Amino acid sequence: MTIQQISIFLENKFGRLNEILSLIAKEQVRIIAASVADTSEFGILRIIADDPQKAYQILKANRISANISEVFAILTESVPGQFARTIEYFTQAGISIEYMYCFSTQSKGVLVIRVNDSEAAHEVIRRKNLRSVDQIGLREI
Amino acid sequence: MYWEQKVETISRHELEKLQLELLRTTLIQAKQSSYYAKVLNENGLDENSIQSLSDLKKIPFTTKEDLRNHYPFGFSAVPLEKCVRLHSSSGTTGNPTVVLHSQKDLDEWANQVARCMYMVGIRNTDVFQNTSGYGMFTGGLGFQYGAEKLGCLTVPAAAGNTKRQMKFITDFNTTTIHAIPSYAIRLADAFYEAGCDPKKDTKLKTLIIGAEPHSEEQRKRIEELLGVKAYNCFGMSEMNGPGVAFECPQQNGLHLWEDYVIAEIIDPVTLEPVPEGELGELVLTTLKREAMPLLRYRTRDLTRFIPGICKCGRTHRRIDRFKGRSDDMMILKGVNIFPIQIEKILMQFKELGNNYLITLETIGTNDEMLVEVELSDLFTDDYSVLQRLTKEITHQLKDEILLTPKVKLVEKGSLPQSEGKAVRVKDLRKII
């Protein structure tokens, strides 16, 4: 089970992040999680939204270079050591985490991860009984 | 197949005989202008000094400076009442240049353009939409009269207003377009953004491109985007405008109409002719112009003759796609670089869009080149891929221009887009 993540090419330019987020906000799309990876020249903004297709269409209509990729969102209890344990399962299975960002609410934690081997990751999730959520599950967090 | 078979397939020997005869007539005509009366007199030249084509080199070159210095009517070889049109090119430095036309000149020009268009299969059943600026820019009226002479239904849409261009193309079943390359791409982008596929949803089949140097890769990309065959056109206002040289269906070089001009290719420094096939500056002498003949005019355009005979059967020599203007050449750290060299590399990357900007700047005491290029929609969410892409572009550019530029990927649509000729180079260097 995966969710859709939108990646946006971001030039290092003052105010650009604000511009893009405002475009999405205007259309009433809720951003659940976001992260920015940056180099000295450019950044990539990654967004998990409640309606990724709509967010993507908004970006397209504004001629913004963006694409959609599938990532895992794994739900954990929000207690010490949970994130570490979860990642460890992947490491043990020889799966590389390409990038990760996470967020927690009072009772739950969510790990958004992109791995080098999706099939193997599915297998780990099944075997270890991890809760990977889909788009609908994500909206309910 | 041929608009004027006899002259288009004339033997070399006959062509040279014709050129000699026309050159002598041109000299007689040129003497009527105050400028050439003086120049020819000072050099002791008249039509009798020309006994063979090799005598052409006795005549001094004419430069753009000469045109500017004798602005506006110093080159006029007929009384002004015989002139019916004036085109002027912008004078960014000093005076503009002026070109005068008699009615006969305009008729000949229209014939030249019609010959070019007929050559690539355009017929009176075609609908021709001209996206050139009308007015002083000769790509407007030049193609208008040429296409009308050929009998096309001609739509003088003029420049800009892309939405309207698209509506015309769709509503009028336009088959043929004339556009500068950067605008052709913009038009294609606009179709795709509107959810149309110009390959299926329009009747477009032929595109005439010119006025901006562009690479073969750029041409192929335009052909794929629009689903057309794109043919290169060469012209300049001093030589009337479009129609001086044009590609035939072989798409391998532009036939230069040698019954209208005599062409030489010279080394721009030594002013001596270069060996056949080598790159140099194109020098043209008009052969039929009445109101304003030009003798050995230095075009500043760099090209070469393509040796050999063209499969299309035309005997007029071909010139290669333009390497740029000698004025466009950038000199960075003593290396001569043309924007087209950079474009050629960039267009090979599918990940990149069509828009780019070269900036020359002084950093510390060093002159550096920055190449900004837009990403296309093909995109990864992995930034190490983008970094590798940047490195690969840098590497290939270095192989081509022998200097290492700084390459920067930018967002689609972030570089300035112009409806006229694209500005590809910004020189911000300080003189130290």
Side-chain angles (χ1 to χ4, degrees):
Chain A
M1 202 178 291
T2 53
I3 56 167
Q4 291 188 321
Q5 168 192 260
I6 301 165
S7 306
I8 299 149
F9 181 80
L10 215 55
E11 265 178 75
N12 282 352
K13 215 166 27 179
F14 179 78
R16 187 61 179 155
L17 181 61
N18 183 29
E19 269 171 40
I20 291 176
L21 293 176
S22 305
L23 284 171
I24 297 172
K26 243 188 359 218
E27 303 292 328
Q28 300 297 315
V29 175
R30 185 166 72 96
I31 293 174
I32 296 167
S35 104
V36 178
D38 75 309
T39 68
S40 56
E41 298 302 328
F42 53 79
I44 294 178
L45 167 64
R46 300 184 172 118
I47 289 174
I48 306 293
D50 63 348
D51 189 342
Q53 284 301 332
K54 187 171 172 193
Y56 182 67
Q57 290 314 322
I58 297 164
L59 295 168
K60 282 264 116 171
N62 287 282
R63 296 174 57 93
I64 291 166
S65 311
N67 87 335
I68 291 191
S69 53
E70 301 285 324
V71 291
F72 291 96
I74 295 168
L75 199 62
T76 68
E77 294 305 313
S78 188
V79 294
Q82 271 300 346
F83 284 168
R85 212 160 309 149
T86 310
I87 296 303
E88 197 181 350
Y89 294 144
F90 290 95
T91 311
Q92 278 166 359
I95 299 167
S96 293
I97 308 284
E98 288 180 348
Y99 55 80
M100 176 194 96
Y101 46 105
C102 50
F103 58 100
S104 27
T105 61
Q106 273 184 336
S107 61
K108 300 282 180 211
V110 179
L111 279 162
V112 177
I113 56 175
R114 169 92 166 175
V115 296
N116 65 338
D117 185 344
S118 290
E119 247 172 69
H122 274 297
E123 180 58 24
V124 170
I125 289 166
R126 198 187 53 77
R127 232 182 29 234
K128 299 290 178 185
N129 256 328
L130 299 178
R131 280 188 64 196
S132 110
V133 293
D134 62 8
Q135 211 65 48
I136 295 161
L138 199 63
R139 276 180 220 164
E140 286 158 4
I141 293 164
Chain B
M1 190 178 172
Y2 304 102
W3 178 250
E4 293 158 290
Q5 179 161 10
K6 198 169 160 235
V7 71
E8 288 175 52
T9 59
I10 189 171
S11 74
R12 197 74 220 164
H13 174 74
E14 286 298 314
L15 179 62
E16 283 173 6
K17 234 169 77 185
L18 175 67
Q19 282 185 323
L20 181 61
E21 185 188 315
L22 290 169
L23 177 61
R24 291 168 58 108
T25 321
T26 295
L27 240 70
I28 296 169
Q29 185 64 18
K31 264 196 318 201
Q32 307 299 310
S33 73
S34 62
Y35 176 79
Y36 283 120
K38 186 162 171 282
V39 167
L40 294 175
N41 191 32
E42 277 170 5
N43 289 276
L45 295 169
D46 62 16
E47 63 279 13
N48 296 318
S49 325
I50 306 293
Q51 294 303 318
S52 79
L53 285 178
S54 62
D55 291 331
L56 178 67
K57 62 176 185 292
K58 294 178 183 167
I59 304 171
F61 293 107
T62 306
T63 64
K64 195 168 189 118
E65 268 322 289
D66 296 328
L67 293 184
R68 287 195 175 124
N69 293 340
H70 297 83
Y71 173 88
F73 301 134
F75 278 80
S76 146
V78 296
L80 283 185
E81 60 263 32
K82 268 205 85 177
C83 296
V84 296
R85 176 103 61 83
L86 178 156
H87 278 283
S88 173
S89 76
S90 57
T92 37
T93 50
N95 275 332
T97 56
V98 155
V99 177
L100 292 160
H101 300 272
S102 69
Q103 186 56 52
K104 181 178 161 287
D105 291 334
L106 290 183
D107 293 343
E108 291 287 2
W109 179 15
N111 185 62
Q112 244 175 307
V113 173
R115 188 195 284 175
C116 295
M117 294 176 78
Y118 195 89
M119 174 164 67
V120 296
I122 303 167
R123 298 291 181 270
N124 61 6
T125 46
D126 280 296
V127 179
F128 172 71
Q129 184 166 327
N130 190 1
T131 73
S132 267
Y134 277 67
M136 286 301 188
F137 183 56
T138 53
L141 290 172
F143 271 107
Q144 182 70 29
Y145 285 93
E148 286 177 6
K149 184 166 182 76
L150 179 52
C152 295
L153 174 56
T154 308
V155 184
N161 201 340
T162 304
K163 280 219 167 72
R164 196 181 62 162
Q165 301 280 4
M166 289 159 66
K167 186 170 166 54
F168 287 170
I169 290 169
T170 317
D171 293 355
F172 304 154
N173 292 326
T174 301
T175 60
T176 308
I177 283 195
H178 170 233
I180 55 176
S182 55
Y183 191 67
I185 283 178
R186 189 164 168 175
L187 200 56
D189 282 348
F191 269 113
Y192 286 103
E193 270 161 34
C196 282
D197 179 351
K199 294 193 282 291
K200 288 193 227 109
D201 303 335
T202 73
K203 296 272 188 292
L204 292 177
K205 59 177 187 192
T206 310
L207 176 72
I208 298 167
I209 45 176
E212 269 175 0
H214 57 283
S215 57
E216 183 60 25
E217 288 76 13
Q218 177 90 294
R219 184 237 295 266
K220 289 217 174 91
R221 194 176 270 204
I222 294 171
E223 287 188 328
E224 275 167 30
L225 283 170
L226 286 171
V228 294
K229 278 276 174 203
Y231 298 99
N232 271 309
C233 165
F234 166 70
M236 54 170 46
S237 63
E238 298 93 315
M239 292 291 140
N240 297 345
V244 178
F246 209 89
E247 267 182 332
C248 70
Q250 302 288 328
Q251 290 183 312
N252 179 25
L254 296 84
H255 288 281
L256 188 97
W257 301 123
E258 294 182 275
D259 57 328
Y260 278 101
V261 289
I262 295 179
E264 303 164 83
I265 292 181
I266 62 162
D267 180 322
V269 180
T270 65
L271 306 181
E272 289 301 316
V274 298
E276 169 104 9
E278 279 185 25
L279 187 74
E281 180 180 332
L282 182 66
V283 173
L284 296 173
T285 299
T286 64
L287 289 178
K288 293 191 188 172
R289 233 167 39 189
E290 184 177 62
M292 196 171 142
L294 288 177
L295 307 175
R296 302 192 83 199
Y297 182 71
R298 291 186 58 185
T299 65
R300 297 281 167 199
D301 282 308
L302 299 169
T303 186
R304 63 181 192 105
F305 282 122
I306 297 180
I309 291 161
C310 186
K311 285 190 197 126
C312 78
R314 290 175 184 83
T315 48
H316 299 239
R317 279 184 295 177
R318 290 165 298 161
I319 49 174
D320 204 349
R321 153 194 311 278
F322 285 87
K323 186 118 180 165
R325 290 179 63 77
S326 52
D327 317 338
D328 282 347
M329 190 175 78
M330 304 173 263
I331 303 178
L332 188 66
K333 295 178 179 168
V335 181
N336 299 349
I337 303 164
F338 294 97
I340 197 94
Q341 291 175 279
I342 295 185
E343 178 179 305
K344 191 178 81 183
I345 300 293
L346 297 179
M347 289 304 137
Q348 287 165 359
F349 289 89
K350 287 246 181 319
E351 298 90 338
L352 301 179
N354 300 309
N355 213 355
Y356 65 92
L357 182 66
I358 300 162
T359 307
L360 304 177
E361 53 194 344
T362 307
I363 296 169
T365 54
N366 245 338
D367 287 341
E368 303 284 349
M369 177 190 285
L370 169 70
V371 178
E372 290 172 282
V373 59
E374 290 183 8
L375 280 175
S376 73
D377 262 342
L378 290 170
F379 186 70
T380 161
D381 80 320
D382 187 346
Y383 73 99
S384 61
V385 171
L386 293 178
Q387 284 182 316
R388 273 203 300 278
L389 176 66
T390 310
K391 267 198 196 139
E392 183 57 27
I393 298 166
T394 310
H395 179 75
Q396 292 212 19
L397 284 175
K398 193 193 166 208
D399 280 354
E400 172 72 28
I401 63 175
L402 310 173
L403 288 172
T404 307
K406 188 171 158 54
V407 173
K408 189 177 172 195
L409 302 176
V410 300
E411 291 173 40
K412 188 178 176 185
S414 67
L415 293 176
Q417 280 217 350
S418 52
E419 302 228 331
K421 284 192 192 186
V423 178
R424 300 298 196 190
V425 182
K426 265 198 329 203
D427 194 343
L428 307 175
R429 284 178 291 185
K430 298 186 201 92
I431 296 158
I432 300 170

